[in-house]
Amino acid sequence: MGEQGDHRFTADIRWTTHGVPHIRAGDWGGLGFGQGWAMARDHLPTIADQLVKVRGERARFHGAGSEGAHLASDFGYRALGLVERAPALRDAQPPHIRALVSGFVAGYDTWLAEATATDVLPRWCAGAPWIRPATELDFYAYFGDIALLASGRNLVGIIGRAEAPGPDGPAPAAPLTALGGNVEASNGWAFGREATASGHGLVMANPHFPWGGEARFWECHLTLPGELDAYGVALLGAPGVQMGFNADIAWAHTFSRGHRFTLARLDLVPGTPTSYRFGGEERSMTAATHTVGCLGDDGTVVDVLRTLWASHHGPMVNLPLLGWGLEQAYTYRDANAENRDVFAQFLGMAQARNMDGFQRVFTEIGALPWVNTLAADRTGRAWYTDASATPNLSPAAQQRYRERLRDDFLAALLVDNGVALLDGSEPGDEWIDEPGAIASGLIPPDRMPAVERTDYLVNANDSHWLPHPEVRLEGHSPLHGLERTPQTLRTRQNLQAAGRLAATGTLTPAIVLAEVLSNASLSAELLRDAVVSRCTGAGTVEVEGVAVDVGAAATVLAGWDGRVDLGSRGALLWREFMAGFEPKAFVDAGPLFAEPFDPDDPVATPRGLAAEPDADPDADPIADPVTRALAGAVHALATAGLAADASVAEGQWVQRGAVRVPAHGGGEGEGILNVLTPIGALTSHALEPGPARLEPLAGRTGRTGLSIGGYRCTYGTSFVMAVELTDDGPVGIGLLAYGQSGDDRSPHHRDGTDAYAAKAPRPLLFADADIEADPNLERRTVSG
């Protein structure tokens, strides 16, 4: 293996059940080659499209796009300069990562040549001019984009539209669709020696990601004897393992609630919209004119020029609704713009032999881009940290930021969407440098929130503040996430479920995954009985001219099992009932909960159903918001074509090729662990085709994903694993819910989904003897 004969790279690949490749090589280049080859076999078109995207060539091959989206993306990526930064990123890598990437790119290109020669690419992209061999610099530019997954990647649509006001006034504000969604979901648990039957550590990972596009995971096992033996998942187009386990330690990630970038509001100089005030001085923005090729309707490519601007903070942006005005404008700075060590960070974690070594990677490299980490080792130590790249503000700037959230409507609105707003004209709001930070303006690793225990630790995308009911991580920057604030229903369910399991002291991977996939609803546990009692005698009310029997709906809820399983009847009705309240009602007292959130009792509050308001038939024939929400839920389901007592299997599914697979799971309103919904926070930037869009349902599709016909899910549980680190080796079970392959002709496009629907995790095979004994074993040696 490694370099052999006339081949520069060689790797042995063994595929086991569900198409999981176990890749072994004799050197780093060979290991990368095997991974690049096997990943390309499953997902080459999606990866190729991402390389086009970061090169700023979408419009060249696909035209301007809807509302100029491809042009805006191309200009946005040109402004970010990922292609120009790629050589420096490559040169900053240590030799073993340079070799790994070289092999990965060669493997990708070797599979492309093989696929082209045998005509096996999917029909939608076969022969397309953008399907072409890649260079290492193409991939290094894409690695820069992966580092910006929770920041600049989601802003390219507003960066690429940030043209300065001209003689005719401001340019149009960017459309709402131009701002990519922030990242919100995942569950992670780390159990220490007190919680497990064996006294060793155990980790559960349940990341919630899109089921299509570039932000999918790919499962693999990588072995380079003496250097690396790690199992887990990698993002498409990324070498190595970003989440998983080795023989001694396992780790999970959840997206951090902290901020990976900041927006800054600039006060412009009157009459000069490209100059702004900064303290007592005036500063001029810098201009750069970019040229992008755009495919026209006649098949010719024409050059389009656009001048974009930057402040000393970073690129200017064109915010939806606000745009770039004559008095104020907005600019952005990215905490991961200069992060050159992301893959050294992940690879170092995968090579760690114990918790001390694992933690050293965070202090010595400290380049984790956008996630919390939960880990446990073979000795039964459990650890949590949010070590994501975070802007460093002075104490005075932190206080101004907190006041801005209280007093500034725009700042409060933006933070609800994961965006921090600073005063770009106030020098005191500048990011500050501090010794030990991996880049200018960032918080150094020794000031990141972290805690170690021997029972359990949890994160479900709320801030670092509450990783355990008895732990409060306080005194950190608000850009790490807010403290002493209400927790989501899902966080509360995670803390309760993990604590309940840990208290037994007898945990195994099977017990843990059964809990994750139990689909128990916390909101139902807290409220369902009181809602049924309230609505049982409500009779019939009118919703949009339609009579709704609220009492009958209450009967459905009374018979519901409180879960979102395939056979659960009443789960869909409860989902739409909860959608009758604003999300803020889920976390504090108001029209839904009676008792408010208590920061000294955060897991148990809010609680109790809010009291029924005094009736005023003249003002509102349905004065009670609870009755109104249940009646609206019945009406919404009926409009979608579903009965109030429809089972989850009758109304919710995932699409795998031409096959509709009924699927369990739910959303934030249900307060369940196992998220699976038609809507998600992480926007896909891929162009691969999908099923036809369902007809939306006004007021519902944006909240729960309900469309005419039901819920076609596209976001949620992806890779799910539970792994125990025993003295005899890691013992794990799990699955990749959407399957290994993006090609709907492959059996591995659907087999993982069938296993997910059946709640049938498989062993995560690590030991060589177990791999060899797999009944679906296939093998091949690949060279190039």
Side-chain angles (χ1 to χ4, degrees), residues 703-729:
R703 283 295 305 279
T704 65
L706 179 63
S707 299
I708 302 301
Y711 306 86
R712 184 174 64 205
C713 295
T714 58
Y715 178 89
T717 288
S718 54
F719 180 59
V720 58
M721 76 168 191
V723 177
E724 187 173 13
L725 291 312
T726 78
D727 289 336
D728 296 323

Side-chain angles (χ1 to χ4, degrees), residues 651-685:
Q652 179 170 290
W653 72 98
V654 291
Q655 199 75 32
R656 307 315 288 156
V659 178
R660 171 172 158 160
V661 181
H664 51 85
E668 298 294 337
E670 292 100 304
I672 72 170
L673 305 176
N674 177 33
V675 169
L676 192 71
T677 75
I679 53 176
L682 183 55
T683 304
S684 172
H685 289 188

Side-chain angles (χ1 to χ4, degrees), residues 411-423:
L413 179 65
L414 287 171
V415 81
D416 284 345
N417 290 278
V419 179
L421 180 66
L422 304 180
D423 185 346

Side-chain angles (χ1 to χ4, degrees), residues 59 64 67-78 155-162 175 178 292 306 308:
E67 299 182 298
H70 295 334
L71 276 175
S73 173
D74 289 348
F75 282 119
Y77 275 108
R78 299 294 175 90
L155 305 179
V156 290
I158 62 175
I159 295 171
R161 290 181 168 92
V292 166
R306 186 170 294 178
L308 302 176

Side-chain angles (χ1 to χ4, degrees), residues 2-81:
E3 295 186 15
Q4 292 186 358
D6 295 331
H7 299 295
R8 182 182 175 193
F9 304 109
T10 300
D12 291 333
I13 307 177
R14 293 175 292 176
W15 287 271
T16 53
T17 297
H18 291 178
V20 178
H22 303 257
I23 302 164
R24 179 184 291 265
D27 57 30
W28 288 104
L31 191 66
F33 183 88
Q35 187 179 21
W37 188 94
M39 186 184 290
R41 191 178 82 155
D42 288 330
H43 289 288
L44 186 140
T46 300
I47 300 170
D49 171 52
Q50 294 306 296
L51 302 183
V52 171
K53 180 193 75 174
V54 298
R55 286 196 300 261
E57 294 181 342
R58 277 266 177 86
R60 173 176 293 277
F61 295 107
H62 305 290
S66 175
E67 299 182 298
H70 295 334
L71 276 175
S73 173
D74 289 348
F75 282 119
Y77 275 108
R78 299 294 175 90
L80 289 177

Side-chain angles (χ1 to χ4, degrees), residues 175-494:
L176 289 172
T177 54
L179 186 58
N182 196 34
V183 185
E184 294 183 349
S186 294
N187 307 315
W189 298 348
F191 293 100
R193 66 179 73 98
E194 296 178 36
T196 63
S198 66
H200 299 289
L202 190 157
V203 169
M204 187 282 295
N206 178 214
H208 303 151
F209 268 64
W211 276 46
E214 74 276 22
R216 278 174 290 181
F217 289 117
W218 183 77
E219 194 173 347
C220 61
H221 178 194
L222 305 179
T223 303
L224 175 57
E227 296 285 350
L228 178 71
D229 192 9
Y231 188 114
V233 288
L235 286 168
L236 299 190
V241 168
Q242 283 88 61
M243 175 166 30
F245 61 94
N246 60 33
D248 301 291
I249 197 159
W251 69 100
H253 292 304
T254 64
F255 261 102
S256 167
R257 181 63 79 183
H259 298 278
R260 312 285 79 84
F261 69 96
T262 57
L263 283 187
R265 182 165 45 203
L266 301 176
D267 294 327
L268 301 180
V269 175
T272 312
T274 56
S275 295
Y276 58 99
R277 301 190 188 281
F278 187 71
E281 64 183 56
E282 296 179 1
R283 293 194 177 188
S284 297
M285 300 175 193
T286 57
T289 299
H290 303 278
T291 303
V292 166
C294 184
L295 181 67
D297 293 338
D298 62 357
T300 62
V301 175
V302 298
D303 286 341
V304 179
L305 278 65
R306 186 170 294 178
T307 299
L308 302 176
W309 298 80
S311 72
H312 77 281
H313 301 285
M316 299 298 293
V317 299
N318 179 340
L319 282 180
L321 304 179
L322 297 175
W324 179 340
L326 300 177
E327 298 180 353
Q328 291 184 328
Y330 298 85
T331 182
Y332 120 97
R333 184 175 178 183
D334 203 307
N336 280 304
E338 302 299 329
N339 191 342
R340 297 177 178 177
D341 297 320
V342 171
F343 287 101
Q345 171 78 31
F346 284 121
L347 192 57
M349 292 160 59
Q351 292 178 288
R353 309 310 304 171
N354 52 46
M355 186 61 75
D356 287 340
F358 191 80
Q359 293 173 350
R360 274 196 302 273
V361 177
F362 287 74
T363 57
E364 295 177 0
I365 299 177
L368 207 62
W370 23 251
V371 285
N372 300 286
T373 302
L374 297 108
D377 74 355
R378 189 156 48 92
T379 69
R381 296 166 63 186
W383 187 57
Y384 161 79
T385 185
D386 182 359
S388 306
T390 303
N392 194 14
L393 300 181
S394 70
Q398 292 180 36
Q399 183 57 32
R400 280 193 298 274
Y401 176 71
R402 293 186 182 96
E403 294 170 354
R404 196 174 296 121
L405 296 183
R406 182 191 65 206
D407 302 330
D408 186 322
F409 172 78
L410 178 61
L413 179 65
L414 287 171
V415 81
D416 284 345
N417 290 278
V419 179
L421 180 66
L422 304 180
D423 185 346
S425 289
E426 167 56 64
D429 271 13
E430 290 279 87
W431 299 8
I432 58 175
D433 293 339
E434 191 169 334
I438 65 163
S440 174
L442 301 187
I443 295 174
D446 63 0
R447 290 205 296 108
M448 298 293 187
V451 62
E452 183 174 324
R453 293 178 67 92
T454 54
D455 53 357
Y456 69 99
L457 292 161
V458 167
N459 184 267
N461 309 111
D462 274 311
S463 78
H464 59 274
W465 176 58
L466 191 68
H468 184 284
E470 298 175 1
V471 175
R472 306 291 186 272
L473 299 179
E474 295 183 349
H476 296 278
S477 168
L479 295 192
H480 264 307
L482 301 178
E483 299 165 356
R484 296 183 65 80
T485 55
Q487 307 294 287
T488 65
L489 287 164
R490 183 163 54 83
T491 288
R492 294 170 64 189
Q493 181 74 311
N494 270 265

